[in-house]
Amino acid sequence: MSIMQGPIVTIERFILDQERLFPEATGELSNLLYDFALGAKIVAASIRRAGLVNILGSAGNTNVQGEEQKKLDVFANETLKSVMGHTGRVCVMASEEDEELIPVPPGWPQGKYAVLFDPLDGSSNIDVNAAVGTIFSIYRRTSMEGQGVLTDVLQAGARQVAAGYVMYGSSVMLVYTTGQGVHGFTLDPTIGEFLLSHPNLTIPEVGIYYSVNESNFGRWNKGIQRAVRGLHGDYPERLKGKNSRYIGSLVADFHRNLIAGGIFLYPADTKNRNGKLRLTYEANPMAMIAEQAGGAATDGRRRILDIQPEALHQRTPLVIGSKRDVEFVSQIIAETEADG
Ligand code: AHM
Ligand code: MG
């Protein structure tokens, strides 16, 4: 009996094959993506042990090896900074966990990329053993030399050269784009490698799911309320009603909708006047992936990738997912505003 199988493509091989399509590429971006993959494996390994906290010691305590236990989001943040900071590929970083810009220390090699990340998004889900994620976004620096500066990380999302996320779910997946489609890799824990499992991911034009924290319904404006009723099926001549799915973990909610088709919303409300999610760390990278997969991302009016960020931790409303569903929401919002 034959045991022939498809070719095994590691993330290294895939990135290298893609790089060969661009003879002018120096390989630096490829190496930066490997750095992320390594960081993701280190974070994944510690997340897998998170449920053993009562046995191994909780955050702030000392474990049996005498090492101090760190909160996972702190650990993820430090891991990513340390796998990327010293390589000479990066000139500046910014993290959702750090108030200020993270410069590469003077004297260290300064690379040509600026990197932003949300090291552990949805970290409250850790306590209930639900999926969490890491999100990253990469720009080419705009400053000429030396240490990177704020303007290197405050670029419109359309200028991203790569973006991706890691989902720590029932398996660990890394999904990324460099503007040549969206590709997904699944971590094989037995060999410690990310293997190509989802080449050329595309999101269905119309989805079957909608994902939103509906407990905020009373705090939304009329346009969003009408749009979400539309997603329930209140305008059957325009849009078929959808099924609801919400984890409260952006990466996991987005990933499900990417694979199965659907729309995710985190609108502004009377408590969160600009929404909850961050433009630079969350909305921009997810928007690049959504568009590369054939979907769309807006703040309800504007394309996310066109927004010029003005502050590192700026928030934005987010409507993202299957293209026709995102268009439907924008239309209802515009019609409601026109009605006054
Ligand atoms: P965090 O960056 O503090 O982890 O918060 C972001 C998370 C997202 O993953 C998720 O989409 C959203 O917060 C859920 O918020 P809510 O609990 O208000 O529904
Ligand atoms: Mg976050």
Side-chain angles (χ1 to χ4, degrees):
M1 190 177 67
S2 157
I3 51 162
M4 284 285 284
Q5 57 183 27
I8 294 176
V9 180
T10 63
I11 194 164
E12 278 84 357
R13 172 174 161 185
F14 186 85
I15 291 172
L16 202 64
D17 286 348
Q18 287 236 313
E19 187 191 306
R20 290 209 183 96
L21 302 173
F22 300 92
E24 69 287 359
T26 60
E28 270 180 78
L29 181 61
S30 301
N31 285 321
L32 196 49
L33 293 169
Y34 305 153
D35 295 340
F36 259 111
L38 171 65
K41 284 193 261 186
I42 297 171
V43 174
S46 76
I47 288 176
R48 215 169 300 126
R49 290 163 65 87
L52 298 170
V53 90
N54 289 334
I55 302 166
L56 302 174
S58 59
N61 290 343
T62 305
N63 70 11
V64 284
Q65 283 92 33
E67 300 155 331
E68 183 168 345
Q69 297 287 291
K70 294 205 169 85
K71 279 187 72 184
L72 269 174
D73 40 9
V74 176
F75 175 79
N77 194 29
E78 288 180 2
T79 300
L80 291 182
K81 285 194 268 188
S82 94
V83 295
M84 283 182 311
H86 68 287
T87 58
R89 301 188 250 280
V90 173
C91 65
V92 66
M93 295 178 278
S95 163
E96 204 199 90
E97 291 287 326
D98 284 77
E99 207 50 50
E100 307 290 338
L101 213 53
I102 309 157
V104 174
W108 290 25
Q110 304 286 334
K112 64 179 180 204
Y113 292 106
V115 174
L116 299 93
F117 46 85
D118 183 351
L120 204 63
D121 184 66
S123 48
S124 60
N125 279 294
I126 289 275
D127 297 342
V128 294
N129 202 11
V132 289
T134 295
I135 310 171
F136 64 90
S137 162
I138 304 175
Y139 294 86
R140 200 163 282 121
R141 71 183 300 174
T142 53
S143 59
M144 299 309 278
E145 57 187 5
Q147 284 185 293
V149 292
L150 194 58
T151 46
D152 292 321
V153 294
L154 292 188
Q155 300 187 51
R159 300 178 67 98
Q160 289 171 109
V161 293
Y165 61 81
V166 182
M167 182 168 115
Y168 311 98
S170 46
S171 38
V172 179
M173 268 196 82
L174 190 152
V175 174
Y176 84 94
T177 179
T178 54
Q180 309 294 319
V182 178
H183 310 288
F185 301 80
T186 303
L187 183 64
D188 181 338
T190 60
I191 57 169
E193 288 277 8
F194 279 107
L195 303 179
L196 181 63
S197 51
H198 297 69
N200 293 310
L201 274 168
T202 53
I203 183 167
E205 216 183 331
V206 179
I208 50 175
Y209 296 124
Y210 77 97
S211 313
V212 68
N213 185 341
E214 216 139 357
S215 69
N216 294 325
F217 193 94
R219 289 189 284 270
W220 293 333
N221 66 30
K222 273 213 173 64
I224 291 290
Q225 289 182 338
R226 274 179 67 186
V228 171
R229 287 203 186 99
L231 298 172
H232 295 168
D234 278 18
Y235 306 101
E237 66 294 353
R238 293 174 69 173
L239 193 85
K240 194 162 164 242
K242 300 184 189 302
N243 209 341
S244 162
R245 289 282 186 280
Y246 190 72
I247 298 170
S249 185
L250 174 63
V251 169
D253 280 312
F254 176 85
H255 184 75
R256 179 197 50 247
N257 293 346
L258 173 66
I259 303 286
I263 182 170
F264 171 95
L265 305 91
Y266 209 111
D269 58 52
T270 51
K271 263 202 329 214
N272 304 293
R273 300 231 162 241
N274 295 310
K276 176 182 181 192
L277 301 176
R278 318 283 178 149
L279 175 60
T280 50
Y281 309 107
E282 291 161 332
N284 271 335
M286 291 313 209
M288 182 178 183
I289 294 169
E291 287 197 6
Q292 280 291 317
T298 73
D299 68 353
R301 294 175 188 81
R302 294 173 294 175
R303 178 183 178 227
I304 288 289
L305 296 180
D306 286 338
I307 302 173
Q308 172 60 49
E310 270 146 31
L312 220 41
H313 295 277
Q314 181 172 333
R315 294 175 196 270
T316 179
L318 180 64
V319 180
I320 189 167
S322 291
K323 197 170 186 168
R324 283 201 13 224
D325 297 333
V326 173
E327 280 165 7
F328 168 81
V329 169
S330 302
Q331 280 159 11
I332 298 285
I333 291 172
E335 288 166 21
T336 309
E337 281 173 3
D339 290 351

